[in-house]
Amino acid sequence: MKRILSGIQPSGQLHIGNYFGMMKTMISNMETSDLYVFIVDLHALTSVHDRERLSTGTLEAAADFLALGLDPDKCTFWVQSDVPEVCELTWVLSTLTPMGLLERCHSYKDKVAKGIAANHGLFAYPVLMAADILLYQSEIVPVGKDQKQHLEVARDIAVKFNNRFGETFVVPEPFIGETSAIVPGLDGQKMSKSYGNTIPIFLDDKHLRKRVMAIQTDSTPVEEPKDPDNCNLYALLKLFASKEKMDEVHDLYTGGGAAYGYLKQDLYELIRDYFAGARTKKKELLANQDYLREVLAGGADKAREKAMQTLELVRDRVGLKY
Ligand code: ADP
Ligand code: TRP
């Protein structure tokens, strides 16, 4: 069985970009792979400096995954900071990571360009991510397209380490699902917690409808043809609607007659129904936080065992054992 690993930041409400970009792929691989799923609270610390937000966000993210169908008995599911070995590996890997490699990272550059204050953690973020991946000897890492460059950094570091110190790490492969490569947000840019353009998975009906109605569309009149490939509403509908429905919508776009308001109402109902079961489940889970903590503690024990094996090997390889 292949080892598949991916993580998500508990830095805000999880949204449908996270779901289609990563969570859905992970959950669907539960039966057929050695699955590692974790909540990256140390990464979230690069942007969240609010005790309450981070700690409740972590429990919420755990509830999200379980509500959406992740079964902790069929995978290893934990919180990143519960396995402190990752920090030691990050340091070792940093000493092999050229500054230029990190300076080229789009994610860092974009955040700085958007006015997010740059700190060392934000700059070193890809090294911690490489440590996450390499510590568990992961073979496949499902992520959205935006994380592809970070995966390349992890691969570069793994190869560099192996060349210098002998075969130690599995060199991971990214997996980027086709339909979900980049889920657009309300404004047509990548949907992202940091851009405030998301449709969260677990909004109540009223707020969900409001968000969907706020999707930006152009001002082409109803009866005129429109380009489905350049419309974020169309891209979002495609994630939820059946093939038959999409054929119909496609004809309306190309032939004229697509009324954005009606299509938004359709999208709202589709999203609401798609996540209805998960929403009820999430409420039940959040009402039982002891259970959530127990699940995460069990997951951390399992993850830590694997982490310690790799770290022992690394210490030996680099000369930290004397
Ligand atoms: P955000 O950008 O909202 O902070 P994260 O960086 O925490 O999201 O991403 C968590 C996972 O969800 C990653 O695998 C990421 O690639 C995926 N993801 C996030 N936003 C999108 C999107 N708009 N489309 C596809 N995948 C996404
Ligand atoms: N950087 C990833 C994101 O924002 C989250 C992450 C941290 C991750 N460590 C990881 C994803 C390891 C995959 C594997 O989406």
Side-chain angles (χ1 to χ4, degrees):
M1 280 215 277
K2 291 265 188 204
R3 176 158 305 143
I4 302 188
L5 168 143
S6 198
I8 203 152
Q9 294 194 54
S11 49
Q13 293 169 307
L14 295 187
H15 53 76
I16 61 178
N18 299 136
Y19 180 71
F20 287 101
M22 187 278 238
M23 300 167 91
K24 187 167 177 246
T25 316
M26 293 304 274
I27 292 166
S28 67
N29 275 305
M30 210 158 51
E31 307 287 342
T32 49
S33 65
D34 182 14
L35 191 71
Y36 280 57
V37 187
F38 61 130
I39 300 166
V40 298
D41 56 348
L42 295 171
H43 277 108
L45 257 186
T46 60
S47 57
V48 181
H49 294 141
D50 176 329
R51 177 182 186 274
E52 186 62 24
R53 229 185 101 201
L54 187 59
S55 59
T56 53
T58 300
L59 274 185
E60 282 231 13
D64 286 353
F65 263 108
L66 299 178
L68 291 165
L70 192 77
D71 178 346
D73 293 329
K74 293 185 181 160
C75 64
T76 304
F77 180 48
W78 78 105
V79 176
Q80 185 185 32
S81 65
D82 282 337
V83 181
E85 283 74 10
V86 75
C87 293
E88 186 175 336
L89 182 59
T90 301
W91 179 255
V92 173
L93 300 181
S94 323
T95 65
L96 282 174
T97 309
M99 292 290 284
L101 193 63
L102 301 179
E103 276 160 1
R104 283 196 292 278
C105 284
H106 306 303
S107 166
Y108 172 73
K109 288 196 288 192
D110 289 353
K111 286 187 174 148
V112 172
K114 288 212 178 327
I116 297 170
N119 55 48
H120 174 254
L122 201 61
F123 185 66
Y125 184 112
V127 189
L128 175 59
M129 181 158 161
D132 282 334
I133 296 169
L134 304 183
L135 188 59
Y136 302 100
Q137 304 287 14
S138 317
E139 295 170 271
I140 299 175
V141 183
V143 283
K145 204 171 173 182
D146 59 304
Q147 293 294 316
K148 191 161 174 259
Q149 194 183 31
H150 287 162
L151 253 288
E152 276 154 20
V153 172
R155 287 169 57 88
D156 277 8
I157 297 176
V159 168
K160 207 158 181 204
F161 189 102
N162 289 349
N163 287 342
R164 183 71 189 84
F165 295 108
E167 275 314 300
T168 306
F169 294 121
V170 170
V171 180
E173 297 283 344
F175 173 85
I176 294 159
E178 250 172 59
T179 49
S180 54
I182 291 220
V183 176
L186 302 182
D187 54 0
Q189 290 189 82
K190 176 196 123 119
M191 185 177 290
S192 171
K193 280 166 255 163
S194 27
Y195 303 160
N197 63 357
T198 67
I199 303 179
I201 301 172
F202 292 107
L203 278 186
D204 60 62
D205 293 355
K206 189 171 143 224
H207 288 97
L208 175 62
R209 188 165 185 283
K210 212 167 154 200
R211 284 291 171 116
V212 173
M213 291 298 159
I215 294 172
Q216 291 174 18
T217 42
D218 60 27
S219 50
T220 320
V222 175
E223 58 289 352
E224 280 191 25
K226 304 173 183 70
D227 179 7
D229 296 329
N230 276 315
C231 177
N232 42 337
L233 174 59
Y234 186 89
L236 289 166
L237 271 166
K238 222 163 121 181
L239 295 169
F240 293 94
S242 63
K243 166 132 189 7
E244 294 73 43
K245 170 84 185 163
M246 277 328 281
D247 288 345
E248 222 176 87
V249 175
H250 190 268
D251 289 347
L252 286 175
Y253 267 77
T254 51
Y260 292 135
Y262 286 113
L263 291 173
K264 286 182 187 174
Q265 177 66 25
D266 287 348
L267 177 62
Y268 155 66
E269 287 170 16
L270 284 165
I271 300 178
R272 182 195 62 195
D273 297 350
Y274 190 96
F275 294 115
R279 196 180 309 160
T280 315
K281 186 88 204 288
K282 180 171 174 180
K283 278 201 192 113
E284 289 164 16
L285 286 161
L286 283 178
N288 191 354
Q289 298 196 353
D290 288 346
Y291 169 75
L292 287 175
R293 290 197 179 89
E294 202 178 295
V295 165
L296 293 170
D301 287 346
K302 272 205 270 177
R304 201 159 184 202
E305 208 172 297
K306 179 74 204 161
M308 289 204 288
Q309 275 174 18
T310 311
L311 194 62
E312 274 303 289
L313 182 63
V314 169
R315 284 178 179 156
D316 188 34
R317 288 279 152 92
V318 301
L320 290 172
K321 273 185 150 182
Y322 53 89

